[in-house]
Amino acid sequence: MRSPLDSTMFPVLRGSDAAGTGLHRSRSLAMSLAVLLAALLVSPAMAQVRQESYVPDVGQQGKDVVWVPTPQVLVEKMLDIAQVTPQDYLIDLGSGDGRTVISAAKRGLRAHGIEYNPDMANLARQNAAEAGVAERATFATADLFDTDLSQAQVITMFLLPTLNEKLRPRILDLKPGTRIVSNSFTMGDWKADQTATVTEGCSHYCTALLWVVPAKVAGTWQLGKQQLSLTQTFQMLSGKLGSADISEARLDGNRISFMVNGTRYTGQVDGRTIKGTMNGAADGGWSATRV
């Protein structure tokens, strides 16, 4: 391999002074190369200068909503109210700077953020790396309305009520028991199963709302020799067992409970069957099959 200092680039000295002069020129050449290398390293045209990190502005316009970060104390309350565990997979819709996803990852969850703004998604990835949770906290630059939500056990969001309602039909088709947590905003006439408000360390947007996706049980079921007829409005139920009205009837995911003539029925919905107990007694079991 040819050296950068060979005779095709620099003339060879001849005569009695070649040795001394050659040494002098070699030193000068080395110094010149060092100066040239330093110039190349600091030249913006030849090397990239480290860019400053992207800094979002509170209130900046996004695709569907402006960006307002969820206070960290409410992030923690949202995770608390959802009773997250390391076995859960969480999806955050409109993940912004990644704080909800990162907070979930710190609790041992696998968490994934959906963010339309690529600069914001990159910032979230950087924040996750700095927090040491990049393996569990991932982010996609995508439209939340085009995102598959079916694998999540927990979905978090800070969207407007109109967007929540637009998402609602898809959410109601998710697996029963999926937990949905919203910062402050509702789901229209689908009433939250639980709410919690933070009073310390939070001055705005301080309420977490939880919904649990209910099983679909509306219709007629055969329960022993009687028919159980159920009408469903989200998690709330009404209907009859035989000729008797049911009361205090509701769903918590795939768990059902109702009262009939002073007897409390509780059970687990599994597709076309329900199995459970009466008044909590193990020997008072009941089962029903969809007609």
Side-chain angles (χ1 to χ4, degrees), residues 32-55:
S32 298
L33 288 174
V35 172
L36 177 61
L37 179 59
L40 291 175
L41 289 175
V42 300
S43 172
M46 299 301 295
Q48 290 185 341
V49 178
R50 186 180 184 276
Q51 296 181 347
E52 293 184 1
S53 297
Y54 169 74
V55 179

Side-chain angles (χ1 to χ4, degrees), residues 27-287:
R27 290 175 177 171
S28 298
L29 175 60
M31 293 178 62
S32 298
L33 288 174
V35 172
L36 177 61
L37 179 59
L40 291 175
L41 289 175
V42 300
S43 172
M46 299 301 295
Q48 290 185 341
V49 178
R50 186 180 184 276
Q51 296 181 347
E52 293 184 1
S53 297
Y54 169 74
V55 179
D57 295 320
V58 175
Q60 71 182 32
Q61 184 63 49
K63 174 181 176 291
D64 299 299
V65 294
V66 299
W67 179 68
V68 177
T70 297
Q72 186 62 39
V73 289
L74 189 65
V75 170
E76 302 299 338
K77 179 59 71 175
M78 291 171 70
L79 297 177
D80 290 343
I81 198 175
Q83 297 183 351
V84 299
T85 73
Q87 287 70 48
D88 289 325
Y89 175 52
L90 179 146
I91 295 179
D92 186 35
L93 302 180
S95 51
D97 61 7
R99 63 184 60 193
T100 299
V101 170
I102 292 168
S103 297
K106 287 181 177 180
R107 295 190 183 202
L109 282 73
R110 289 185 307 113
H112 187 59
I114 305 300
E115 175 54 52
Y116 193 79
N117 182 333
D119 291 327
M120 194 76 89
N122 286 333
L123 174 62
R125 294 185 187 102
Q126 177 183 322
N127 291 341
E130 291 176 353
V133 293
E135 290 187 358
R136 293 193 303 273
T138 59
F139 299 89
T141 302
D143 189 323
L144 59 89
F145 290 104
D146 297 329
T147 297
D148 179 11
L149 306 177
S150 63
Q151 300 305 307
Q153 285 79 47
V154 181
I155 295 172
T156 55
M157 62 183 72
F158 186 14
L159 306 172
L160 294 173
T162 52
L163 300 177
N164 289 355
E165 289 189 56
K166 185 177 178 180
L167 282 167
R168 193 174 74 182
R170 292 180 56 205
I171 289 172
L172 287 167
D173 281 338
L174 295 175
K175 183 179 179 180
T178 303
R179 289 100 76 198
I180 314 299
V181 191
S182 171
N183 176 350
S184 299
F185 294 118
T186 63
M187 289 267 188
D189 56 350
W190 183 12
K191 302 302 182 184
D193 290 291
Q194 188 176 346
T195 63
T197 299
V198 175
T199 57
E200 295 184 8
C202 186
S203 60
H204 58 279
Y205 302 114
C206 302
T207 298
L209 297 93
L210 170 72
W211 295 261
V212 180
V213 175
K216 296 180 179 181
V217 299
T220 303
W221 302 74
Q222 192 67 38
L223 196 165
K225 296 181 179 181
Q226 301 183 91
Q227 286 195 335
L228 174 65
S229 301
L230 297 174
T231 300
Q232 180 173 359
T233 304
F234 306 113
Q235 72 272 51
M236 306 307 296
L237 301 172
S238 60
K240 290 180 176 290
L241 177 59
S243 60
D245 290 332
I246 68 173
S247 61
E248 301 178 27
R250 63 175 295 135
L251 289 155
D252 179 12
N254 56 10
R255 297 189 294 274
I256 187 172
S257 65
F258 56 90
M259 293 281 292
V260 180
N261 293 328
T263 299
R264 166 70 65 184
Y265 288 73
T266 59
Q268 195 86 1
V269 182
D270 185 7
R272 300 182 62 84
T273 63
I274 307 174
K275 293 182 179 181
T277 61
M278 294 178 289
N279 291 331
D283 57 351
W286 65 279
S287 63

